Amino acid sequence: MLKFFLTRLATTIPVLILVTFVVFGLVLLIPGDPAVTIAGPDATVEQVAAVRVRLGLDRPMVVQYWDWITSAASGDLGTSLFTSRPVATSIGDGLPVTIALAATALLISLLIAIPTAIVSALRRGTWLDRVSTIGSSLGIALPSFWLGLMFVLLFSLTLGWLPATGYVPMSRNPGDWLLHIFLPALTLGIAGAAESARQLRGSIIGVLQQDYVRTARAKGLRGRMVIGKHVMKNASVPLVTVLGLQITALLGGAVLVEQIFGVPGLGQVAINAVTTRDIPVIQGVVLVAVVVAMGSNLLVDLTYGYLNPKVRPR
Amino acid sequence: MTAAPTTPTATDTTLEVENLKVDVLTEKGWATVVDGVSFGVARGETLGIVGESGSGKSVTCLAIAGLMPPGQTRVTADTLRLLEHDLTALSPKEMADIRGPKIAMIFQEPMSSLNPAFTVGDQIAEVLRRHEGLSRKESRKRAIELLDRVGVPSPARRALQYPFEFSGGMRQRVMIAIALACNPDVIVADEPTTALDVTVQAQILELLREIQEEHGMSVIFITHDLGVVADVCDRVLVMYAGQIVEGADLAELFADPQHPYMEGLLAAMPRMDNPSDALVSIPGHPPRVGDMPDGCRFHPRCGYATDACRTDSSPLLERVAPGHTTRCLRHPELTLRGSP
């Protein structure tokens, strides 16, 4: 398993290098000259040129890239063009919040999806199954910004159970943290829950027809063991694939949900940077997002190795 | 029933089945796939059940073991007794307690009958943990012993491997180890060698025979291969379209068949001693589920059928000699050809 992990880790390095090219190249694709933006609308040509020199934008691309990548490798992602804060600090503030939000959303979505899928697969064709299928379709179809607003309307404004906006770090007060993160996480997780439930229901139904499930029953194993062990380990493979895709979607969705609920995560940092064309921050956010996505894909592959022994190298 | 087939005395009978009926839900409604099957199996005996695919032989055994999917199946019987247990009265939970220590199964497809996601050792050990309450460590040790017993070389290493690392024959040995784990009183082997090469087939049959001699368990051997039947069985039931059509001791059945279907099966056996003969087959196909012919179910394919066979109600299973039964109206007048 360690060898599998290391070989898989090694294959991410070329991808990572490629990604840094793309992230760096983004700057070239963005319309507008940052030097002009920084210098302000009334600046003279000389002033713009001076700003360009100060920021190092006049140097050859290769030099700029090398500079950027070596600093990034040592954790220095540059400084914001506007706030003059180090980019790494802004990301360091926002990233844990976004990760907490996405992880909670993922947890909530699995807590909804797994029992729903098992019940619907075992009671296939009954009203329970139909209700959950309709629920899944709705969950996939409803946009998260609308759902988020409805949740705020219901749970915060009408029932008054949960705060509508804001965020409390877990380190300060875990109880408050949970109260604040629950609605955003539910909003973010519900589409994933619907998708996972549908996928898992299908694969459970497929696995239930396998001969080895009959063998498990013939051994006299209890229903809980047959489903929980023999069926679920095999049925989880397609679910893990879906989850791998969902993790990236969760990061994207978090941007929106953070806006709705006023959660100070990476999404806020990204949106501010994009509206002000704060290129070092954009680059930093994209790079971090890509690394997180690649990390989650790595995790997915390792999970495959656990679930399906055939995937492991020998 | 005018005559139950050779039922051994109650004391040494491990399994007793009387008038077993299995209905399954098809697109066109309920259809009977096993119709009034009765038999008993003695301790230490190997009972063969032969028939074409779809004759109901596998369903009979799955129904006895409580493995037919509920909701889509109805199983009824006058008697269904395994040792002291009345299987008709047991809850699914109680049935699960019996499967393993009292009745165990070996299935046809060793490729798909083992779970690809768990080690072979674990799949054996979990039976022991479930039924004998062994610890993880003890059950693992016992699993290795079982693998050794069924002839898997270097069992300690092999126990940690996954099914895809085993050949078909080795997987079937693993299945046998699983079945054997809790020392059951009855083993049902459902076409255990059909998917295997002929040489491997012989090894597996030999292993089953050894194990039966060691433990004295009853074996129900389901197959469509009369060669295998001749090799391992003491007594044979012939099934056709959900019914038993003939039952007798092995030698008598082969020498003196009393049902035209059995005669046809014997004639269809390829023979080494006369290879010039073209292969013979029984004309036609078995009837489809839910579409049984009137009268004798075999009459559309039977060379001896008369009007009585076509119109009368299905013939009863009658005793023709001690321990020999047949379901044929014309058995008194027919002289059928056996296997030389």
Side-chain angles (χ1 to χ4, degrees), chain A residues 15-307:
Chain A
V15 182
L16 196 60
I17 291 172
L18 200 70
V19 162
T20 59
F21 283 139
V22 175
V23 169
F24 187 75
L26 277 181
V27 187
L28 303 174
L29 298 173
I30 294 175
D33 183 340
V36 175
T37 322
I38 301 241
D42 302 328
T44 61
V45 179
E46 288 77 23
Q47 283 171 317
V48 172
V51 168
R52 195 171 286 139
V53 172
R54 178 164 60 86
L55 297 176
L57 297 173
D58 58 333
R59 294 172 304 159
M61 269 303 151
V62 182
V63 177
Q64 287 188 47
Y65 171 76
W66 183 249
D67 220 31
W68 177 71
I69 192 74
T70 44
S71 317
S74 63
D76 176 13
L77 292 165
T79 327
S80 163
L81 298 179
F82 292 91
T83 61
S84 301
R85 283 183 82 200
V87 174
T89 312
S90 304
I91 291 177
D93 289 345
L95 187 64
V97 178
T98 300
I99 287 180
L101 174 61
T104 314
L106 195 66
L107 185 70
I108 291 178
S109 88
L110 287 178
L111 286 178
I112 298 173
I114 293 173
T116 310
I118 292 176
V119 169
S120 333
L122 293 180
R123 304 261 178 279
R124 187 147 67 112
T126 61
W127 64 270
L128 254 174
D129 181 25
R130 254 167 260 144
V131 165
S132 81
T133 306
I134 294 170
S136 302
S137 305
L138 278 179
I140 291 170
L142 294 177
S144 63
F145 61 85
W146 182 84
L147 261 182
L149 293 177
M150 288 302 123
F151 285 155
V152 169
L153 211 60
L154 178 67
F155 293 109
S156 307
L157 303 183
T158 310
L159 296 171
W161 291 349
L162 295 164
T165 57
Y167 183 76
V168 175
M170 202 198 303
S171 52
R172 198 184 307 154
N173 186 336
D176 273 2
W177 171 80
L178 191 65
L179 284 180
H180 280 88
I181 207 149
F182 185 77
L183 277 188
L186 183 66
T187 308
L188 187 57
I190 214 140
E195 198 183 358
S196 303
R198 195 182 261 199
Q199 182 71 51
L200 189 59
R201 173 187 178 271
S203 56
I204 291 176
I205 288 172
V207 170
L208 280 174
Q209 281 151 9
Q210 296 293 320
D211 287 346
Y212 55 77
V213 175
R214 186 180 58 184
T215 305
R217 293 215 168 96
K219 286 175 182 176
L221 299 185
R222 294 202 191 285
R224 211 173 342 114
M225 256 317 234
V226 174
I227 302 296
K229 180 177 176 185
H230 287 266
V231 173
M232 282 309 282
K233 192 167 176 189
N234 288 283
S236 298
V237 176
L239 176 68
V240 170
T241 312
V242 171
L243 287 183
L245 298 171
Q246 276 181 13
I247 291 174
T248 5
L250 280 178
L251 290 177
V255 174
L256 199 64
V257 171
E258 282 171 14
Q259 289 293 313
I260 298 172
F261 290 93
V263 177
L266 202 58
Q268 302 273 26
V269 176
I271 285 182
N272 288 339
V274 170
T275 48
T276 56
R277 250 185 236 139
D278 195 343
I279 285 160
V281 181
I282 298 177
Q283 285 175 325
V285 169
V286 173
L287 190 66
V288 165
V290 167
V291 169
V292 170
M294 282 174 60
S296 59
N297 279 330
L298 181 66
L299 205 65
V300 165
D301 281 3
L302 291 177
T303 315
Y304 277 148
Y306 163 73
L307 292 173

Side-chain angles (χ1 to χ4, degrees), chain A residues 211-212 214-215 217-222 225 229-231 233-234 307 309-310 312 314, chain B residues 67 96-97 99 107 112-118 122-123 126-127 130-131 162 164 178:
Chain A
D211 287 346
Y212 55 77
R214 186 180 58 184
T215 305
R217 293 215 168 96
K219 286 175 182 176
L221 299 185
R222 294 202 191 285
M225 256 317 234
K229 180 177 176 185
H230 287 266
V231 173
K233 192 167 176 189
N234 288 283
L307 292 173
K310 272 193 212 182
R312 288 176 219 165
R314 272 169 291 161
Chain B
L67 287 173
D97 290 339
R99 282 196 299 265
F107 294 109
S112 55
S113 293
L114 290 169
N115 193 325
F118 296 96
D122 181 58
Q123 296 189 54
E126 71 176 343
V127 194
R130 160 73 171 89
H131 293 292
Y162 290 87
F164 75 93
I178 290 172

